[in-house]
Amino acid sequence: MISLWSEEEVLFNSRHRDYFKNDARQSAVNRILLRLNKQGLTSEELLKKMSALRTYYGKEIGKERSSRTSGKGTKDVYVSKWHFFTSLHFLRDNITPRKTSSNMDTCISEEKENEAVGQDQPSQQATHHVSDDGSDQGSVFPTNNPPPVKNKKKRALAFEDELLSTC
């Protein structure tokens, strides 16, 4: 199936002139189905299989690229052991890595700051209430507490939000 897929450029090359024409793509899928001659295999199932292979191949490419960061030796570069990896290399030019962001650096730096200051938890902003006559009332209210939640699902979501906000 992979070799037949690699022959049908309209199915994987977004620069192909017929890539965005659904009828051209469908006829390419039908040609593959005829050549495979598998009973019961539908075009939807074939497209799902191709999509799954492409997704996994993209993940393997991502692992390979991320292992080639500066400062790593040649022994540390990831080499895929997946047996379809080399046969799917025709997809390589058509897979664009997505930009990702990580919050790990900020979480780690906040933890180090808190350890250096001697705190176990991130600092919370507090406000002091002063009456009109200028006297300090002495009460401290955290400003980042969420409002009370009535049902369990909402409480769980609020708890998750609170955990995520600490990073």
Side-chain angles (χ1 to χ4, degrees):
M1 179 196 87
I2 293 173
S3 62
L4 297 174
W5 182 16
S6 69
E7 294 171 8
E8 298 289 349
E9 195 173 344
V10 71
L11 294 175
F12 63 87
N13 185 356
S14 60
R15 290 180 217 96
H16 190 277
R17 60 184 165 88
D18 292 334
Y19 180 79
F20 294 101
K21 295 180 181 175
N22 287 336
D23 57 336
R25 293 172 58 82
Q26 187 59 46
S27 34
V29 169
N30 290 337
R31 284 191 298 272
I32 291 174
L33 283 171
L34 285 173
R35 291 176 68 187
L36 281 176
N37 199 19
K38 289 245 183 187
Q39 292 293 335
L41 183 64
T42 65
S43 61
E44 290 83 19
E45 290 171 341
L46 180 63
L47 287 171
K48 280 183 184 180
K49 287 180 187 295
M50 290 189 306
S51 177
L53 288 169
R54 184 181 192 279
T55 300
Y56 194 78
Y57 179 74
K59 288 179 183 180
E60 291 293 300
I61 292 291
K63 289 177 190 177
E64 185 181 84
R65 286 180 182 158
S66 67
S67 73
R68 292 183 185 197
T69 58
S70 68
K72 296 216 176 179
T74 56
K75 292 180 181 176
D76 296 331
V77 174
Y78 177 79
V79 177
S80 178
K81 295 179 179 122
W82 185 42
H83 59 279
F84 294 126
F85 186 72
T86 54
S87 58
L88 288 169
H89 276 327
F90 67 93
L91 296 173
R92 190 178 206 98
D93 294 335
N94 299 294
I95 292 182
T96 312
R98 298 186 186 258
K99 291 186 179 186
T100 59
S101 61
S102 173
N103 62 356
M104 291 305 292
D105 293 335
T106 55
C107 286
I108 291 170
S109 63
E110 284 180 9
E111 287 175 10
K112 287 181 182 177
E113 280 181 24
N114 292 337
E115 288 173 5
V117 176
Q119 298 174 340
D120 290 337
Q121 297 178 351
S123 62
Q124 292 184 355
Q125 296 176 355
T127 57
H128 288 275
H129 289 279
V130 179
S131 66
D132 291 336
D133 64 353
S135 63
D136 189 357
Q137 299 295 320
S139 63
V140 177
F141 296 100
T143 59
N144 61 351
N145 281 351
V149 184
K150 292 183 180 179
N151 67 30
K152 288 183 181 180
K153 280 188 178 179
K154 287 183 181 177
R155 271 194 302 244
L157 289 173
F159 180 70
E160 288 176 10
D161 289 343
E162 185 179 343
L163 283 176
L164 292 174
S165 70
T166 60
C167 288

